[in-house]
Amino acid sequence: MHKIIIDCDPGHDDAMAIMTALAHSGELELLSFCTVAGNQTLEKVTKNVLKLEEYLDLDIPVYKGCDHPLLKENKPQPAAHGESGMDGPVLPEPVKKEEAISAVEYYKQVLKKEEKVTIVALAPLTNIATLLTEAPECADHIEQIVLMGGALNGGNINKYAEFNIWHDPEAAKIVFDSGIKVIMAPLEVCYAGGILIKETKRFEREGKVSKLVKDLFDFYCRYAIDRGWDKTAVFDLIPVLYLLNKDLFTYKKGHVDIVLDGEDTQGQTVFREGEGDHIALIDADREGCMKIFFDAIDRLDQRYS
Ligand code: BDR
Ligand code: CA
């Protein structure tokens, strides 16, 4: 059993990852959500988590984190996730509110109390870097950080960088240099473990959670369909799937350096194999990944029927 905190910026793929984790409450004890500016503004992504909680009748604390990167300006991504950050589903206005303390304050408190916590980081690493700067002793209580971010060959936001790392490269550098065990799911493994567009049709059926997943995919897949692709990565799902079954993945050990500047290179993750303890997931058993995901949504449909 892993005790996990999900640090996120929903985000269609963040939402899929969250639902998959919820379906596996026997293996993943989800302590809380921390939000951070990324796909959209902090206000919007926090509202999206609260909307998911409302729809799924959850009572998991939500902590609002950093509203901008350490040094850069916010650069939301409406082309990928819409103006709301999670366009598509029409969800109820949340009644529930976020907690009174900030995500960074929460991390400080919870990590004092809990022996070892896994952070599942699905967004820019601003909250975690701020925590490690303000309270470096907390690092001892972080079992591992399993993150979606980085790219080994080519980027999705500039020539070489992936969005989460690019959005706050200074924060990523602090996290990768911290000495904490970091497992990185870069773009390549997310593409390898992606969903076929035709497989998303399985969610066109009865079921409260299938309905939500269908509405999310209807918006999210437009990007791939417009480009004639038959498959799309569900990026943030990969760290959760890794925690549920490591055997689905191959990986390499090495050292990740973060490039801080350059139009083509800002946010690049330069991986030197064999030279360090960072773990980069390389390849995925796609069908095995999808089986866990589909089963998770089926399980939630049953839970809410
Ligand atoms: C990452 O960026 C965001 O748009 C997604 O939610 C994911 O975390 C993919 O590059
Ligand atoms: Ca995300």
Side-chain angles (χ1 to χ4, degrees):
M1 168 75 107
H2 293 286
K3 289 190 178 194
I4 65 167
I5 295 171
I6 296 188
D7 200 292
C8 58
D9 61 345
H12 300 73
D13 51 334
D14 304 70
M16 315 274 192
I18 289 169
M19 288 186 274
T20 304
L22 289 171
H24 285 271
S25 47
E27 293 124 289
L28 304 176
E29 184 186 344
L30 180 46
L31 300 179
S32 56
F33 297 111
C34 293
T35 57
V36 65
N39 285 330
Q40 262 299 351
T41 62
L42 181 67
E43 291 304 323
K44 289 183 181 179
V45 300
T46 305
K47 191 168 181 190
N48 290 340
V49 179
L50 292 168
K51 280 179 162 182
L52 286 173
E53 289 226 355
E54 198 71 34
Y55 186 74
L56 298 172
D57 198 19
L58 304 175
D59 194 19
I60 299 170
V62 179
Y63 297 90
K64 247 165 105 169
C66 299
D67 65 0
H68 59 83
L70 297 183
L71 300 181
K72 291 174 65 179
E73 301 282 309
N74 277 336
K75 279 275 165 57
Q77 299 299 308
H81 298 278
E83 281 305 325
S84 71
M86 209 172 73
D87 277 13
V90 181
L91 295 174
E93 278 302 297
V95 175
K96 215 189 136 209
K97 297 264 174 277
E98 69 272 10
E99 303 296 314
I101 59 168
S102 72
V104 173
E105 213 38 58
Y106 162 71
Y107 272 124
K108 289 179 192 168
Q109 294 183 11
V110 76
L111 292 171
K112 233 180 249 163
K113 227 170 52 203
E114 297 286 349
E115 254 314 281
K116 287 282 183 189
V117 174
T118 290
I119 300 178
V120 181
L122 309 178
L125 295 164
T126 322
N127 291 339
I128 306 165
T130 306
L131 168 75
L132 295 174
T133 306
E134 291 182 7
E137 68 282 3
C138 286
D140 294 341
H141 297 267
I142 300 174
E143 181 170 17
Q144 56 187 344
I145 299 172
V146 188
L147 64 91
M148 190 284 126
L152 301 177
N153 300 317
N156 66 351
I157 190 79
N158 64 19
K159 193 163 179 201
Y160 294 108
E162 177 280 330
F163 173 75
N164 287 340
I165 305 296
W166 170 87
H167 198 259
D168 196 346
E170 283 77 16
K173 183 165 170 49
I174 291 170
V175 170
F176 277 92
D177 288 352
S178 67
I180 297 168
K181 180 174 176 191
V182 174
I183 295 147
M184 151 172 119
L187 292 176
E188 293 77 6
V189 75
C190 300
Y191 296 139
I195 189 167
L196 302 178
I197 304 296
K198 65 180 181 206
E199 287 172 330
T200 64
K201 304 282 175 243
R202 81 184 301 283
F203 300 110
E204 290 171 6
R205 59 180 185 183
E206 291 297 304
K208 181 169 181 167
V209 179
S210 280
K211 159 107 184 75
L212 170 58
V213 172
K214 179 204 172 294
D215 291 346
L216 287 167
F217 273 128
D218 279 352
F219 187 91
Y220 185 72
C221 288
R222 289 188 329 185
Y223 190 89
I225 292 168
D226 287 351
R227 285 160 182 77
W229 302 341
D230 63 352
K231 189 176 161 195
T232 185
V234 190
F235 301 100
D236 292 337
L237 187 56
I238 297 295
V240 172
L241 297 177
Y242 171 80
L243 286 172
L244 292 172
N245 185 358
K246 295 183 179 42
D247 295 342
L248 294 173
F249 299 93
T250 57
Y251 67 88
K252 286 183 178 163
K253 248 185 171 181
H255 182 82
V256 177
D257 274 323
I258 308 293
V259 180
L260 297 178
D261 49 26
E263 201 180 320
D264 284 346
T265 54
Q266 188 178 54
Q268 184 180 357
T269 45
V270 178
F271 183 68
R272 293 198 310 272
E273 194 178 345
E275 290 185 28
D277 291 326
H278 296 138
I279 290 175
L281 304 184
I282 301 293
D283 203 358
D285 166 354
R286 198 195 73 78
E287 285 177 9
C289 287
M290 286 305 106
K291 181 164 177 15
I292 299 187
F293 176 50
F294 297 160
D295 287 351
I297 304 305
D298 289 350
R299 208 185 280 190
L300 291 179
D301 274 341
Q302 277 167 20
R303 201 182 283 174
Y304 288 96
S305 66

